[in-house]
Amino acid sequence: MRTMIAIPALDTVQTEFCQSLVNLAPVGSVQTAMVTCSLVYKARDDLAQAALAQGADYVLWLDSDMIFPATLLTDLMRDMQGRDIVTGVYHMRRPPYQPVLWRRLRQGLTPEEREDEVYTDYPRDGLFTVEGCGFGCVLMRAEVLGTVIGKYHEAFAPLPGYGEDLSFCLRARGCGYDIWCDPRLQIGHKAATIVTDETWQAYRHREG
């Protein structure tokens, strides 16, 4: 079993991320690939092509400002039984620190027609499906990339009104794939401080 850890980066990589990556417990054969590019969708497309060219079985997408436990890959692999795409939970770096999860994701010509909905009241005790997620911490079968590229000729190029991550989610779901979330995998997001679920809950409490 071969896994590529795919890391798109701009011009910096957070120290805490590097420490998390060094401590990450491997599962099977693991290699790390990083692409530095000012266009994150281009970096992700290049990493996707590299994973397919190298015959990876799985791709673990990690953003270079994520903070995660050493057991992350082990835990995600456990969740992959019978599934194709699994994410953990992390939060936006700025107020209101909402989870980077979408209960509903509808492509439309205007924001009103999309009717997108962030998933703020997600279950806490077991895996559940989402229609969209950020790509800060996502494990997928590499064959998903091949299927998406085969149908749409591109994986991460932004669709109108969406970033590269949600654009991929729309395409993957268009290929019949479900996106799962494990709420037990709470991932830190490095900003001025490390944003966690506790950051979000404290903000919600203050704002009433």
Side-chain angles (χ1 to χ4, degrees):
M1 181 174 64
R2 292 170 290 183
T3 301
M4 172 184 280
I5 301 176
I7 307 166
L10 297 177
D11 56 351
T12 60
V13 177
Q14 297 290 341
T15 302
E16 293 90 341
F17 169 79
C18 293
Q19 189 63 56
S20 294
L21 187 62
V22 167
N23 291 334
L24 184 65
V27 179
S29 173
V30 177
Q31 67 178 103
T32 300
M34 180 181 293
V35 171
T36 302
C37 182
S38 59
L39 298 175
V40 66
Y41 81 87
K42 178 66 166 56
R44 291 199 192 281
D45 277 332
D46 288 349
L47 288 163
Q49 293 292 348
L52 293 173
Q54 295 174 23
D57 300 302
Y58 296 90
V59 181
L60 173 60
W61 298 94
L62 291 174
D63 282 354
S64 59
D65 55 1
M66 296 286 104
I67 317 300
F68 46 89
T71 59
L72 176 67
L73 185 54
T74 302
D75 294 337
L76 284 169
M77 283 294 184
R78 173 201 63 207
D79 293 337
M80 289 295 287
Q81 304 304 312
R83 302 180 178 91
D84 299 295
I85 307 171
V86 180
T87 182
V89 178
Y90 68 98
H91 296 74
M92 298 175 185
R93 294 190 300 172
R94 297 176 180 84
Y97 306 115
Q98 292 177 323
V100 190
L101 299 170
W102 277 260
R103 181 197 298 269
R104 183 170 59 239
L105 196 61
R106 297 285 188 272
Q107 187 178 2
L109 298 178
T110 68
E112 292 75 19
E113 290 173 328
R114 292 184 202 124
E115 297 182 346
D116 298 338
E117 181 184 350
V118 174
Y119 210 154
T120 57
D121 57 344
Y122 60 86
R124 299 297 182 115
D125 56 354
L127 277 80
F128 59 95
T129 57
V130 298
E131 294 197 354
C133 66
F135 259 63
C137 175
V138 175
L139 181 67
M140 65 174 58
R141 298 183 190 277
E143 66 189 51
V144 174
L145 295 169
T147 301
V148 169
I149 293 170
K151 180 172 182 177
Y152 294 101
H153 308 294
E154 51 194 2
F156 290 98
L159 295 167
Y162 292 100
E164 89 292 341
D165 44 11
L166 295 185
S167 296
F168 182 89
C169 291
L170 286 164
R171 292 185 179 110
R173 291 182 57 250
C175 291
Y177 291 109
D178 290 327
I179 302 168
W180 291 83
C181 177
D182 186 343
R184 298 165 295 185
L185 303 181
Q186 293 283 334
I187 312 303
H189 199 176
K190 183 67 167 63
T193 59
I194 298 174
V195 176
T196 65
D197 185 66
E198 286 73 20
T199 312
W200 176 50
Q201 298 294 349
Y203 180 86
R204 295 177 78 186
H205 180 74
R206 289 198 307 270
E207 296 299 308

